[in-house]
């Protein structure tokens, strides 16, 4: 499998991956992605701007993530910590999900590694990510790839929508 940009004709497949992730998060008791986010409009925009990436198995997407250039407005205000390099040229990885059909096959780690490699190849010095405080699966994946916890951020301007922010340097 190889990291590649998602195509607009794969939008339904990508939304299926999102629905799989929403179900897993709900089963884990994580109140993340339970409010209709990310929706088709967001993912269509990611695809149209060449920010959505996938892994394909037998021609069908089985993992997805948005890789976007910084700055990200959600990362402007951080509490319970600070960015180690607040003025870094960074890229963000958002909306990471893996299809139910490939769970347990280590696809998430391989896919995340490919996303990290791609982001650094674009010339950034740092990658920033965030996840819900109850999303232990994602926290384990993030920290296993060398990301360091930086503090807490609010998502989409909602002070009740807190995420743990992480960064890794190249």
């Amino acid at each position: 499998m190889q990291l590649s940009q998602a195509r607009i004709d794969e939008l339904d497949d990508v939304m299926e991956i999102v629905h799989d992730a929403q179900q897993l998060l709900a089963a884990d008791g994580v109140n993340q992605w339970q409010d209709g986010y990310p929706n088709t409009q967001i993912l269509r925009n990611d695809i149209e701007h060449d920010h959505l990436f996938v892994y394909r198995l037998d021609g069908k997407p089985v993992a997805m993530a948005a890789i976007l250039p910084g700055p990200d407005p959600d990362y402007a205000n951080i509490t319970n910590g600070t960015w180690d390099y607040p003025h870094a040229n960074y890229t963000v990885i958002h909306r990471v999900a893996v299809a139910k059909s490939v769970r347990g096959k280590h696809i998430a780690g391989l896919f995340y590694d490919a996303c990290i490699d791609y982001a650094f190849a674009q010339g950034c010095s740092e990658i920033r990510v965030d996840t819900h405080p109850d999303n232990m699966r994602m926290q384990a994946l993030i920290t296993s790839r060398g990301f360091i916890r930086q503090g807490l951020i609010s998502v989409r301007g909602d002070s009740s929508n807190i995420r743990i922010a992480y960064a890794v340097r190249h």
Side-chain angles (χ1 to χ4, degrees), residues 25-103:
L25 289 165
D28 285 350
V30 179
N31 188 23
Q32 183 178 8
W33 287 18
Q34 302 303 303
D35 61 356
Y37 173 90
N39 60 35
T40 302
Q41 181 180 356
I42 289 168
L43 296 174
R44 177 183 300 278
N45 187 63
D46 285 343
I47 292 169
E48 289 173 350
H49 289 92
D50 297 328
H51 296 310
L52 194 68
F53 290 81
V54 295
Y55 250 11
R56 292 183 188 92
L57 180 63
D58 298 327
K60 182 177 179 177
V62 294
M64 57 160 265
I67 304 174
L68 304 126
D72 182 321
D74 288 340
Y75 293 167
N77 298 308
I78 188 166
T79 61
N80 291 40
T82 183
W83 295 110
D84 289 341
Y85 299 92
H87 305 292
N89 169 29
Y90 67 90
T91 295
V92 296
I93 301 174
H94 284 316
R95 299 185 274 286
V96 177
V98 175
K100 178 173 44 179
S101 64
V102 296
R103 274 192 212 134

Side-chain angles (χ1 to χ4, degrees), residues 99-113:
K100 178 173 44 179
S101 64
V102 296
R103 274 192 212 134
K105 298 181 181 176
H106 307 287
I107 298 297
L110 295 171
F111 178 66
Y112 212 66
D113 289 344

